[in-house]
Every structure is written in structure tokens, then in C-alpha cells.
Amino acid sequence: PKQTQLIAGTVYTIESIAEDQVIVGSTLGAVSYSTDGGSTWNKIPKALNLAGNTVVTASGLDDGEYIYAAGWSAGAGNTTRVERWQIGTSGAWKNLAAPVTVNYGAFGIKLVSGVLYVALMDSSPAANSEVQRTLAPTAAVPAAGMWSTIAQAGDSFGNTVLAPPKNLNISGSTVLWMIDAATPNLVSYNDTLATTAPTLVSPPEGF
């Protein structure tokens, strides 16, 4: 077995970031990562501000890169918080101000082309689900207005019972995939808005 050096809890999720780069989240809000295929591990010295079952991803695992994590505990009254840590710089986790509905827990988190997605499900009762997205995960001053709930995804995922611990994947750059644990079915949504740039009126394109 690998000794991941987590400061609290046991391994809950694992994510492959690149070749030989893996990151894990724990049952108590701790995060650790390896850049050599798991031979050695680097622990983040502080747990998430809202600790619990933790899903995690990262832009990379070199100094200056960002780790994104969401922790939650099952049960009424618990709210997920999405947080960020910059490797080699941060001394504490930064709250990204995601406007998560009370009782919704994070069941998946993904970063693709600079867009951060978080899959959430109502934990009391376990019935409704949603996907939240921010196009500005590295903003110096995060705000709730930087997040949006993918409305169309609600049609696809709204009645999806998510299967913990990891229930969100992305193919290409815009197709989101989730598992409906109740059916079970595989559901998907193509988020074309995330990669659609506005058309400039003035100055003209290419100016």
C-alpha cells in the first residue's frame, strides 16, 4: 500500500493529473499529491476549511499550479465549499465562493481548459442534482457571481442520483458525463458555452 502522507482521514478520491502525477482527497478534508507515480507524496499542511469527504483536481502539480477541492459531510444542514490552494504559495485554503445550496454535497470536480466544474447532489433526501461552473477559478477575489448553474444540465442531471465518491468526468473539452446510481444510466451534457468566445463588434476580430 502507498503511504500518501494525508494529515487527516483516509483516501476518499484519487485523480490522475498527468503522467506520474496523482492527487488524493481524504474523508476529513486532507489533500496529498505525488509527482513521481506514487513513490513519494507531498501533503498539503492544512485541511479544507469545510472538511469532510473530499473530491479534488488540479491544473498541475508544479509550483504555481492550483489544486481545487470540495469537501462535504453527508446529512442535513451540511453545505459543500469549493476551495483552492496554490502550490508553493498558499498558506491556507481560499474559499471560491461557490453558491452551493444547503444540503448539497460535492460528488465530482473537474478542471478543463480553465473551466472548473463541480457536480452536486442533495444529500437530504438524495434526489436532486446539479452542476456548477466557473470560468474564473484563479480569480484573486472569488465571488458568487463568477459561478453559474448549468441550466440545461439540470434537465439531464436534475433527477440523477449520483454514485460517490467520484461521479463527474469530461471527454474532449466540453462533454460532461455522470452516472445515475438509481437507474443505473450514464448521462451526459455538452457544455458548448464554456468554450464559445464572444464575437467582437469593435475593434474587428484580428485587430
Side-chain angles (χ1 to χ4, degrees):
K2 299 293 184 181
Q3 301 299 318
T4 57
Q5 307 300 319
L6 290 163
I7 63 170
T10 57
V11 174
Y12 180 70
T13 53
I14 183 169
E15 179 83 355
S16 175
I17 304 302
E19 184 176 356
D20 289 335
Q21 296 190 355
V22 291
I23 188 167
V24 296
S26 87
T27 53
L28 292 174
V31 173
S32 182
Y33 64 91
S34 172
T35 58
D36 57 11
S39 295
T40 60
W41 291 82
N42 302 287
K43 62 185 177 185
I44 301 300
K46 293 186 177 180
L48 296 174
N49 293 301
L50 199 159
N53 293 332
T54 300
V55 291
V56 63
T57 190
S59 60
L61 296 177
D62 297 321
D63 280 355
E65 299 284 4
Y66 291 94
I67 294 171
Y68 301 96
W72 71 286
S73 297
N78 291 287
T79 302
T80 287
R81 181 180 293 176
V82 184
E83 303 184 53
R84 179 184 77 205
W85 182 281
Q86 187 173 20
I87 299 174
T89 299
S90 293
W93 288 93
K94 178 179 282 292
N95 183 4
L96 296 189
V100 179
T101 305
V102 173
N103 295 335
Y104 273 63
F107 278 69
I109 188 169
K110 277 288 185 179
L111 179 75
V112 60
S113 300
V115 181
L116 184 66
Y117 297 91
V118 183
L120 302 147
M121 187 179 73
D122 189 352
S123 60
S124 179
N128 300 313
S129 55
E130 66 183 26
V131 174
Q132 290 199 9
R133 166 191 66 200
T134 178
L135 277 64
T138 62
V141 183
M146 296 176 180
W147 290 83
S148 59
T149 299
I150 304 177
Q152 292 87 346
D155 297 333
S156 299
F157 302 153
N159 296 315
T160 301
V161 179
L162 306 183
K166 183 184 174 187
N167 196 260
L168 177 66
N169 259 302
I170 297 178
S171 59
S173 61
T174 60
V175 181
L176 283 66
W177 298 89
M178 293 164 67
I179 302 168
D180 186 342
T183 335
N185 285 327
L186 188 64
V187 293
S188 67
Y189 172 74
N190 188 8
D191 184 22
T192 55
L193 181 62
T195 56
T196 301
T199 300
L200 292 178
V201 175
S202 179
E205 293 280 358
F207 177 78

